[in-house]
Amino acid sequence: MPEAKSRWEVGTIGMTNQPHDDGMDEILALWGRAEVIGPLGGGNRNTVLEIRIGQRRLAARKSRRNRASLDWEIALLDHLAGHGLRVPVPVAALDGRRHIDGVVVQT
């Protein structure tokens, strides 16, 4: 029996035939040359991928939350980090946005 191929393969977004997931590849390109490493476990409601941009290992999450909810979440993370808690830090896209179409990239 032939071996099943993984849905996710390492590659550079926009440069190879990457699997599509809710348009995440096009959106992640707005952060720069993003390389998808693969899916991260544990996400029940969101697609969560490990990505690499340059030498940085990051997580990209596609959320179904609305814009206001994501703004609130990011503001909360900023507040907690500002008070010394270790939390994921949102990484801004090349144009400065901290989330785009439900996609958030974090440390």
Side-chain angles (χ1 to χ4, degrees):
M1 183 183 325
E3 212 173 292
K5 265 190 134 176
S6 172
R7 183 179 132 150
W8 300 99
E9 296 177 10
V10 174
T12 302
I13 297 293
M15 302 301 283
T16 63
N17 292 327
Q18 277 299 109
H20 295 276
D21 187 82
D22 298 333
M24 274 185 79
D25 53 353
E26 291 88 9
I27 296 169
L28 286 172
L30 299 172
W31 272 265
R33 196 174 169 107
E35 178 184 5
V36 174
I37 305 305
L40 292 172
N44 289 330
R45 297 180 186 191
N46 302 305
T47 299
V48 183
L49 302 174
E50 178 182 354
I51 66 170
R52 186 171 293 132
I53 298 175
Q55 297 299 313
R56 297 179 76 183
R57 287 182 59 203
L58 303 165
R61 174 174 54 102
K62 171 77 172 176
S63 175
R64 292 183 228 146
R65 292 181 176 192
N66 64 39
R67 173 178 280 173
S69 180
L70 288 172
D71 287 339
W72 177 86
E73 176 186 337
I74 290 170
L76 175 62
L77 291 173
D78 289 342
H79 176 79
L80 294 172
H83 285 83
L85 276 77
R86 290 186 62 181
V87 295
V89 176
V91 176
L94 296 175
D95 65 4
R97 290 183 284 177
R98 298 178 81 191
H99 61 85
I100 300 172
D101 294 337
V103 175
V104 179
V105 174
Q106 297 174 304
T107 58

